[in-house]
Amino acid sequence: MPETRGTGTTVGDAAMSAPKKQEAVPGLALGLALLSAGPVVILVLLIVVLSFLSPYLLTGRNLSNILAQTAVISVVAMGQHLVILTRGIDLSVGSNVALASVVGALSFHAGAPASVVIAVMVGCGAAVGTINGLFYVFGRLPHPFIITLATLSIAKGLALQLADGRAIPGMPDAIDALGREAVWGLPGSVFVVAGVAAVLFVMAKTMVWGRWIYAVGGRPDAALRMGIPVSWVLVSVYVISGLCAGIGAVILAGRTDAGSPLFGNLLELDTIAAVIIGGASFLGGRGHLGHALIGAIMIGVIRNALNLLNVNVFFQLIVIGVVIVIAVESDVLRNYLEGRMRVLQAGRQS
Amino acid sequence: MSAVAANVESAPTVDHPVLAVRGATKRFGSVVALDDVSIEVRRGEILGLLGDNGAGKSTLTKCISGVHQLDAGAIFLDGAPTQIRSPADARFAGIETVYQDLALFDNLTPGQNFFAGRELAWPRWLPRGMRFLQQRRMDAETRILLANLKVTLPRLDAVVAMMSGGQRQAIAVARSTVFARKVVILDEPTAALGLRESRQVLNLVATLRDQGNAVILITHNMEHVTELADRAVVLRQGRKVGELVPTKDNKQELVSMIVGA
């Protein structure tokens, strides 16, 4: 951007001089900067500390493992992130992954080629997401919690019913390849995650649609008054969340060479945790894709390190829970500091 | 209401009315919020809309800006009867509203706020939401706009949440000027502001008028009315009870019209 950016134009008698104000609140500004960098700082600290405790953590093989293990959370968390940006929540993603994987496995056994199986899984995920979005918006539900809770149950039940309660082994080789090592010691799934991230990043950053998501999340009523098609923006984020769940199902099916109604158990909680831990605001309108990815990797690192350290699985749940509390509180703190900063700025002007 | 014509003759920039509302009636259940109210406002004119709480000022402006629909009566833009079914309709017709709650997006920058809902984007053959933002053009236009209005903001890349009440008010008013082609409605623009910030916003309102907009200004502040408004319409209990050219001398008359004494 041109040089004038950030300096403000000084015209006329308005008497709001920029530099003075920036100096007035250095402590607050520093605090806010730390908070916005927080997740990255915490992730780095976490890796440094844990690598001292376990020498295996930073080995190439283990890092590749962490990425492979967090691929599903990462991809689904990116969809969840868009939903949370609009002040919503998608509880159905875990069941959606299960259903998509089962439908995919069944279509494979019915003789469908790999490309069709992939299309079926992704399409199934998107379909569930579309149902969520349409019912939430046009069913005039007060909160997406309710409809996505319902589809969580329906999709899970459907998956169990279709698979007769058991995993269905066997997936096309093209899907299995995602679980195997591809290039640079990394599994194919990592590249799928990177691809999805790139596409969503471009869409959210450069398209009008992306801007609208932030507007709707920032203030839904104002978005309506500004002529933004709020209903369709809301539907779209649930469709994309479902789509991401479908992609997650493909990755998970590739890693396990199966479709299973038990896939994606508690994935809704993991993805919500990832988004929040990564630093996006639960209040909507703030955060970016990087937050979802950093949060997902943080969860992966914590789990992996605790495994390496032989800490039992129950304790992992407690640790993740504590991290969520810290993340949410720092969001609250950020809002408070911003409020303080505004008061101080206003005070300086009059 | 027959006094309208006489007053209009004395207005400095006489033109046809840009906006005319005739026989506006609006009921909420059994409550009659607006009862046969008619107003008109011309290019380069500021119409003060006065009245006590619940007099129908906000209802009237919300009908004009598409938030409510009239039960009876009609809205004319440039003499043509116009249906305004939604806020988007109103904006499309060239009517901009600065709401009392500002309707700003705290999580967006001033420039992003200006262009919210009508982002500059290409290519045109794609559906609106799928187009790509022309960020540089919007940034440039934001700077020109702020310079024209003599509004200074500390940072153009900071979100609006970080700005003071006066700055936020200035951003909301400035936003209305981006696409205002005909009418700007301002609902209590100085209500929550200090003296100095009020002054700045009033200057902005005058600028809007000078740019040829028809301005409707809702306010409780008699000083502001006598200073800025070319005409004042007083509502009481949903009816229009008077219309005059406000001066320092008839301030008392205005006040008694408002309270009905």
PDB file of all heavy atoms in Angstrom, chain A residues 93 124 145 194 227 233 265:
ATOM      1  N   VAL A  93     -19.797 -31.570  12.777  1.00  0.00           N
ATOM      2  CA  VAL A  93     -18.663 -31.964  11.926  1.00  0.00           C
ATOM      3  C   VAL A  93     -18.148 -33.371  12.197  1.00  0.00           C
ATOM      4  O   VAL A  93     -17.808 -34.100  11.263  1.00  0.00           O
ATOM      5  CB  VAL A  93     -17.499 -30.946  12.015  1.00  0.00           C
ATOM      6  CG1 VAL A  93     -17.854 -29.667  11.280  1.00  0.00           C
ATOM      7  CG2 VAL A  93     -17.111 -30.657  13.451  1.00  0.00           C
ATOM      8  N   CYS A 124     -21.247 -35.572   0.392  1.00  0.00           N
ATOM      9  CA  CYS A 124     -22.038 -35.927   1.571  1.00  0.00           C
ATOM     10  C   CYS A 124     -21.802 -34.904   2.685  1.00  0.00           C
ATOM     11  O   CYS A 124     -22.744 -34.427   3.322  1.00  0.00           O
ATOM     12  CB  CYS A 124     -21.665 -37.330   2.039  1.00  0.00           C
ATOM     13  SG  CYS A 124     -22.401 -37.776   3.614  1.00  0.00           S
ATOM     14  N   PHE A 145     -26.489 -23.778  17.242  1.00  0.00           N
ATOM     15  CA  PHE A 145     -26.257 -24.863  18.198  1.00  0.00           C
ATOM     16  C   PHE A 145     -27.299 -25.956  18.023  1.00  0.00           C
ATOM     17  O   PHE A 145     -26.980 -27.140  17.973  1.00  0.00           O
ATOM     18  CB  PHE A 145     -26.347 -24.268  19.613  1.00  0.00           C
ATOM     19  CG  PHE A 145     -25.971 -25.223  20.705  1.00  0.00           C
ATOM     20  CD1 PHE A 145     -24.685 -25.215  21.213  1.00  0.00           C
ATOM     21  CD2 PHE A 145     -26.893 -26.111  21.219  1.00  0.00           C
ATOM     22  CE1 PHE A 145     -24.330 -26.092  22.226  1.00  0.00           C
ATOM     23  CE2 PHE A 145     -26.537 -26.994  22.225  1.00  0.00           C
ATOM     24  CZ  PHE A 145     -25.251 -26.976  22.726  1.00  0.00           C
ATOM     25  N   ALA A 194      -2.762 -28.182   3.030  1.00  0.00           N
ATOM     26  CA  ALA A 194      -2.168 -26.954   2.511  1.00  0.00           C
ATOM     27  C   ALA A 194      -2.988 -26.408   1.348  1.00  0.00           C
ATOM     28  O   ALA A 194      -3.212 -25.191   1.250  1.00  0.00           O
ATOM     29  CB  ALA A 194      -0.733 -27.220   2.067  1.00  0.00           C
ATOM     30  N   GLY A 227     -27.166  -3.763   3.326  1.00  0.00           N
ATOM     31  CA  GLY A 227     -27.518  -4.443   2.091  1.00  0.00           C
ATOM     32  C   GLY A 227     -26.689  -5.689   1.800  1.00  0.00           C
ATOM     33  O   GLY A 227     -26.640  -6.154   0.668  1.00  0.00           O
ATOM     34  N   VAL A 233     -24.812 -15.526   3.179  1.00  0.00           N
ATOM     35  CA  VAL A 233     -23.473 -15.605   3.756  1.00  0.00           C
ATOM     36  C   VAL A 233     -23.461 -16.673   4.853  1.00  0.00           C
ATOM     37  O   VAL A 233     -22.548 -17.508   4.923  1.00  0.00           O
ATOM     38  CB  VAL A 233     -23.039 -14.238   4.328  1.00  0.00           C
ATOM     39  CG1 VAL A 233     -21.735 -14.371   5.093  1.00  0.00           C
ATOM     40  CG2 VAL A 233     -22.885 -13.215   3.204  1.00  0.00           C
ATOM     41  N   ASN A 265     -15.120 -38.963  16.368  1.00  0.00           N
ATOM     42  CA  ASN A 265     -15.690 -38.840  17.705  1.00  0.00           C
ATOM     43  C   ASN A 265     -15.088 -37.631  18.423  1.00  0.00           C
ATOM     44  O   ASN A 265     -13.874 -37.498  18.505  1.00  0.00           O
ATOM     45  CB  ASN A 265     -15.405 -40.123  18.486  1.00  0.00           C
ATOM     46  CG  ASN A 265     -16.456 -40.343  19.547  1.00  0.00           C
ATOM     47  OD1 ASN A 265     -17.544 -39.770  19.464  1.00  0.00           O
ATOM     48  ND2 ASN A 265     -16.136 -41.151  20.534  1.00  0.00           N
TER      49      ASN A 265
END
